[in-house]
Amino acid sequence: MQPRALDDSDRRILRAMQSHPDMSVADLSGIVGLSQTPCWRRIKRLEAEGVIARRAILFDPKKVGLPINVLAHVRLQRHDEETLEALERETLEHPEILECFSMSGESDYVMRVVAADMDAYERFLKKVLLHLPGIASVNSSFTLKTVKSTPDLPL
Amino acid sequence: MQPRALDDSDRRILRAMQSHPDMSVADLSGIVGLSQTPCWRRIKRLEAEGVIARRAILFDPKKVGLPINVLAHVRLQRHDEETLEALERETLEHPEILECFSMSGESDYVMRVVAADMDAYERFLKKVLLHLPGIASVNSSFTLKTVKSTPDLPL
DNA sequence: GGTGAAAAGTCGCCCAT
DNA sequence: ATGGGCGACTTTTCACC
């Protein structure tokens, strides 16, 4: 499962898979200019190496009742390794937190959180975020509109 | 394709699909307690209504050569509708911008941008971001680590 | 809502080159 | 490393309760 660099065929496969997530291997192979078996083997290899992390099904957050989207800018009091690890472990436990990045600059972490309504977010803020290990402050910015949100990478 | 509320079976289907993105309809139907055909029909309906937006294949950004992840906080000079529309249209054109939210609070927009290296980001900043319609300033915060990043919603 | 079934297409994996 | 082929699945669509 190693850093073997991707060659052109790999990149073509990734690009094709990304733009056509449920195309059959047969059709993919046509697009990338390989035949079925080699193409299939490369896909398996890319999966085994973790280049292909997973498949996913994307729902419309509003249509499933999660219209509230918040960027929570988090600062810590303490920055010892233990506190950071505890906080990151907590983060993984809460499905309302979709993304969490540790940051350079002013905030220690930025988290993207979804909620059913403002009340639900406020409860989440008070019951979870403000009790995270080592927390100093949480600054919540609400998104007015999702202009764009895609997992597709520029390959 | 309307706001017909989701019932329990719908939610169970969505939850099951989300945790098992390539389970067969046959197996899904078992989990949710319906039989094949009704389950399949509901899935098609959820797709037609846009509740299920799309399928996706998630790659590891580092392993495909995009280790740089930036949150760009953008402020505008002008806030007329025309400027906003032009900016949002531009956003959609650039695949390096994975997410773009219009915000309440200090920034007008927050964008998540990926790049192959610092140089590439700097070029993108100078050639694209700073030339966006109506731009006043761009404040780039680099992520040191992705603690969590998932499209899975808490259902 | 449920059953059963069948056509078309796909996958996973053998083999040969 | 590529291409061929085949059995075992799935998807999708029936007709009918």
Side-chain angles (χ1 to χ4, degrees):
Chain A
M1 314 303 148
Q2 280 317 319
R4 237 192 1 72
L6 305 174
D7 65 16
D8 278 357
S9 290
D10 289 328
R11 295 191 167 276
R12 274 200 294 272
I13 288 173
L14 294 175
R15 266 194 289 268
M17 291 182 82
Q18 192 169 63
S19 17
H20 310 288
D22 18 54
M23 182 171 276
S24 72
V25 177
D27 292 345
L28 277 179
S29 64
I31 291 183
V32 305
L34 290 176
S35 60
Q36 284 217 27
T37 312
C39 184
W40 181 80
R41 273 199 287 255
R42 277 170 185 269
I43 292 172
K44 288 299 142 191
R45 203 176 29 76
L46 291 166
E47 284 171 354
E49 290 170 348
V51 177
I52 297 172
R54 51 169 291 214
R55 277 145 209 284
I57 303 185
L58 274 31
F59 303 141
D60 182 320
K62 285 191 188 158
K63 292 185 179 164
V64 298
L66 295 166
I68 303 295
N69 189 44
V70 184
L71 292 189
H73 292 246
V74 170
R75 292 196 207 199
L76 301 186
Q77 301 169 327
R78 290 169 280 125
H79 296 80
D80 54 294
E81 198 170 328
E82 227 175 298
T83 304
L84 300 185
E85 268 180 32
L87 182 142
E88 297 186 4
R89 230 178 300 119
E90 272 279 300
T91 295
L92 300 178
E93 304 276 312
H94 295 285
E96 297 88 345
I97 303 173
L98 268 31
E99 301 177 343
C100 174
F101 304 105
S102 84
M103 303 297 298
S104 74
E106 304 182 11
S107 307
D108 292 308
Y109 291 94
V110 174
M111 302 183 184
R112 184 159 75 86
V113 178
V114 292
D117 51 44
M118 287 286 182
D119 266 33
Y121 180 72
E122 212 219 339
R123 283 196 301 278
F124 187 72
L125 175 64
K126 289 191 176 159
K127 295 207 173 157
V128 177
L129 294 184
L130 292 173
H131 296 304
L132 288 174
I135 208 87
S137 72
V138 177
N139 188 315
S140 304
S141 305
F142 293 84
T143 80
L144 304 175
K145 174 181 176 185
T146 297
V147 178
K148 182 179 193 175
S149 176
T150 178
D152 291 348
L153 301 174
L155 297 179
Chain B
M1 311 308 144
Q2 279 319 318
R4 238 192 0 73
L6 305 174
D7 65 16
D8 279 358
S9 290
D10 290 328
R11 295 190 166 277
R12 275 200 293 272
I13 288 173
L14 294 175
R15 264 195 291 268
M17 291 182 81
Q18 191 169 64
S19 17
H20 310 287
D22 19 51
M23 183 170 276
S24 72
V25 177
D27 292 345
L28 277 178
S29 65
I31 291 183
V32 304
L34 291 176
S35 57
Q36 280 217 30
T37 312
C39 184
W40 183 82
R41 276 197 288 251
R42 278 171 184 267
I43 292 172
K44 288 298 142 190
R45 203 177 28 76
L46 291 166
E47 285 172 353
E49 291 170 349
V51 178
I52 297 171
R54 51 169 289 213
R55 280 146 208 282
I57 303 186
L58 273 32
F59 303 140
D60 182 320
K62 286 189 188 159
K63 292 185 179 163
V64 297
L66 295 166
I68 303 295
N69 190 44
V70 184
L71 292 189
H73 293 246
V74 169
R75 293 195 205 199
L76 300 186
Q77 300 169 329
R78 290 168 279 125
H79 297 80
D80 53 294
E81 198 171 327
E82 227 175 299
T83 304
L84 300 184
E85 268 180 32
L87 183 141
E88 297 186 3
R89 231 177 300 118
E90 271 279 300
T91 295
L92 300 178
E93 304 276 311
H94 294 285
E96 297 89 344
I97 303 172
L98 267 33
E99 301 175 342
C100 173
F101 304 105
S102 86
M103 303 297 298
S104 74
E106 305 182 11
S107 307
D108 292 306
Y109 291 94
V110 174
M111 302 183 183
R112 184 158 76 86
V113 178
V114 292
D117 50 46
M118 287 287 181
D119 265 31
Y121 179 72
E122 213 219 339
R123 280 196 301 278
F124 186 72
L125 175 64
K126 290 192 177 159
K127 294 207 174 159
V128 177
L129 295 184
L130 292 173
H131 295 304
L132 289 174
I135 209 88
S137 71
V138 178
N139 188 315
S140 304
S141 305
F142 292 84
T143 81
L144 305 174
K145 174 181 175 184
T146 297
V147 177
K148 182 178 191 175
S149 177
T150 178
D152 291 349
L153 301 174
L155 296 179

